[in-house]
Amino acid sequence: MDTLELLAHPVRLRIVHAMRGERELTTGELCARIPDTSKAMVYRHVDLLTAAGVLEVAGERRVRGAVERRYRLRHDRAVLDADTLTAMTPDDHRRAFATSMAVLVAEFNAYLDHEDADPVADLIGYRQHALWLTRGELEKMIIEFRRVILPLLANQPTPERTQHLLSPIFFPVEQPPADPGPVPASS
């Protein structure tokens, strides 16, 4: 199974999100993080991600006669590289985007289902803005987002930190008009 196929599944993508930040979690802890998914499904997807090398066993211990495994994410295996992105068809992009949106909806619903959810106090945001940008302005904006976001990706979980899901999405909703050519001189 290739990386696109692995990550283009909502449960597997939610597992990858849960493992970010150098976490080492058991399958039981992942089930607690994804309570709207059956335990059997979480176990099955952890097995698939482990077999593909996206997750690795970080440690094992005996618990009441069974072996409990702690898993960690292999960040280098949990990304779509440039070659994969270049080879993706429009249908691949549709599927990946639909998976991303399904994960956003599932994670947002899981957040709202917590009895202590407070969207205003938690500073949640889901605004959409329609921006008119040249290619250069778009590239500059993406570079600025990366400048701000990339250092934060290295943050480790601490008691003071809450994990947030950030999903910048950029795509043109209309194309610039075709150049009609030179405007004729008025007489």
Side-chain angles (χ1 to χ4, degrees):
M1 190 178 302
D2 66 13
T3 306
L4 175 60
E5 191 174 340
L6 274 169
L7 298 179
H9 187 283
V11 174
R12 291 192 290 265
L13 190 55
R14 290 178 76 189
I15 290 168
V16 168
H17 289 322
M19 298 299 295
R20 297 262 180 214
E22 306 304 321
R23 285 181 151 170
E24 293 182 3
L25 300 174
T26 66
T27 309
E29 290 168 330
L30 284 167
C31 289
R33 281 285 317 258
I34 310 172
D36 55 325
T37 302
S38 74
K39 289 181 181 183
M41 185 173 286
V42 172
Y43 276 82
R44 183 177 33 226
H45 290 296
V46 166
D47 285 344
L48 278 170
L49 289 167
T50 303
V54 174
L55 296 180
E56 64 184 3
V57 176
E60 296 180 337
R61 69 180 185 135
R62 284 236 176 255
V63 177
R64 293 184 288 275
V67 176
E68 178 186 76
R69 291 182 178 87
R70 298 191 76 68
Y71 296 91
R72 79 174 137 243
L73 181 65
R74 296 223 12 232
H75 295 278
D76 60 317
R77 303 292 303 269
V79 295
L80 298 179
D81 61 24
D83 291 337
T84 300
L85 291 170
T86 301
M88 287 173 64
T89 66
D91 283 340
D92 291 335
H93 284 284
R94 280 185 191 92
R95 189 170 53 126
F97 186 80
T99 298
S100 296
M101 294 302 98
V103 167
L104 280 174
V105 169
E107 293 287 359
F108 191 68
N109 284 334
Y111 159 76
L112 289 174
D113 288 343
H114 286 114
E115 65 181 48
D116 59 344
D118 186 342
V120 175
D122 292 337
L123 303 175
I124 63 125
Y126 45 82
R127 291 188 176 110
Q128 293 181 347
H129 304 281
L131 307 173
W132 293 90
L133 303 169
T134 65
R135 174 71 182 214
E137 291 167 333
L138 176 61
E139 289 171 355
K140 182 179 178 185
M141 183 178 71
I142 291 169
I143 288 168
E144 286 300 307
F145 274 133
R146 287 179 180 158
R147 184 185 62 74
V148 171
I149 295 168
L150 288 177
L152 300 176
L153 292 175
N155 285 357
Q156 301 299 307
T158 66
E160 299 83 29
R161 287 190 176 128
T162 301
Q163 187 180 41
H164 293 265
L165 188 57
L166 177 66
S167 298
I169 301 166
F170 308 106
F171 61 92
V173 292
E174 66 180 69
Q175 298 296 322
D179 184 2
V183 178
S186 59
S187 32

